[in-house]
Structure formats: structure tokens, C-alpha cells
Amino acid sequence: TITKISFKDVFRAVDYNEFEQLSNEFANTPHIVETYVSGTSGYIIYSNGFCEQWGRTSAIGRLVTVTLLAAFKDTNYSVLTTGLYTGGGTENAWDYVRNITATSFDIYQQEGGCMWKACGYIN
């Protein structure tokens, strides 16, 4: 049986002495420090230097160079593409990535363009 409700037990107030501890915990936990979105492209940068970037291309049947919005620290990042097949029938769209640098990569697209996402570290 509860005989008395204590707000101290219900709500945890942050004591003055805990601000430094909480600040240190936040500083050591990856969190978003910058975002940018423009149309179908953008990026998210986290406090640990990890970056997610995305975009869309529309060229058909040719090599396209994608210039990254934020340069990665090296070529050790991943690129995921999803083909956008806009024709009829059962033909599949395909694309492949090559010539990866810290600031760009090339995509060859068969049909309809593609959506892409690149993930890696910027510093």
C-alpha cells in the first residue's frame, strides 16, 4: 500500500553535480552534428566523423560521375545503389560503381538512373 507519493521518487531531477557527468556521456555518444538536404540529395554527419550521404541520378545508359557533398577521409567507404527502371516489360535495371575517390565515384547506369547512398568517415 502506498501511503505517500514523493515527487523525488517519481521524477529524477538532475543534481548540479551530475551536469558534468551527463555532459561527458553525451560527448562520448555519437550524435548528429550536421545535416544538409537539397532536393533528392543530402548528408548526415555524426560527432564521431561517420557520414551518410545520398542522392539520385537520372542519366540512362552512360557513365555518370557523382561528386560527394562531403569528402570522405579516404576511399574506404561503401556505396549502395538502387536502379530505377522506368520502362515496361520485365527487364531489370542495373548499375555498377567504379573509380571511387574520396570526393567522387562513377556509376554506369543501364536504365532510368539510380538512387545511391554512401557511408564512411569524413575524418
Side-chain angles (χ1 to χ4, degrees):
T1 301
I2 298 174
T3 58
K4 181 180 175 186
I5 295 177
S6 169
F7 285 109
K8 185 177 182 182
D9 295 333
V10 177
F11 299 101
R12 180 178 176 267
V14 176
D15 294 329
Y16 180 79
N17 294 334
E18 290 180 301
F19 283 120
E20 183 176 355
Q21 176 189 349
L22 291 172
S23 177
N24 290 338
E25 288 176 14
F26 180 74
N28 293 325
T29 302
H31 52 277
I32 295 172
V33 295
E34 185 178 344
T35 62
Y36 173 80
V37 177
S38 178
T40 59
S41 62
Y43 63 77
I44 299 172
I45 299 175
Y46 296 87
S47 58
N48 63 354
F50 187 76
C51 179
E52 298 176 80
Q53 301 185 55
W54 61 90
R56 181 177 175 162
T57 64
S58 59
I60 297 173
R62 67 182 181 92
L63 195 65
V64 175
T65 298
V66 172
T67 301
L68 297 166
L69 297 169
F72 288 111
K73 71 176 183 176
D74 52 32
T75 59
N76 190 23
Y77 61 91
S78 63
V79 178
L80 173 68
T81 65
T82 302
L84 301 172
Y85 180 64
T86 56
T90 59
E91 183 177 353
N92 292 322
W94 56 266
D95 39 69
Y96 63 86
V97 177
R98 65 180 189 181
N99 301 328
I100 295 174
T101 71
T103 58
S104 68
F105 57 89
D106 293 340
I107 299 177
Y108 182 84
Q109 301 161 152
Q110 178 189 12
E111 186 74 45
C114 76
M115 294 181 293
W116 60 268
K117 181 177 182 179
C119 296
Y121 286 90
I122 61 169
N123 55 24

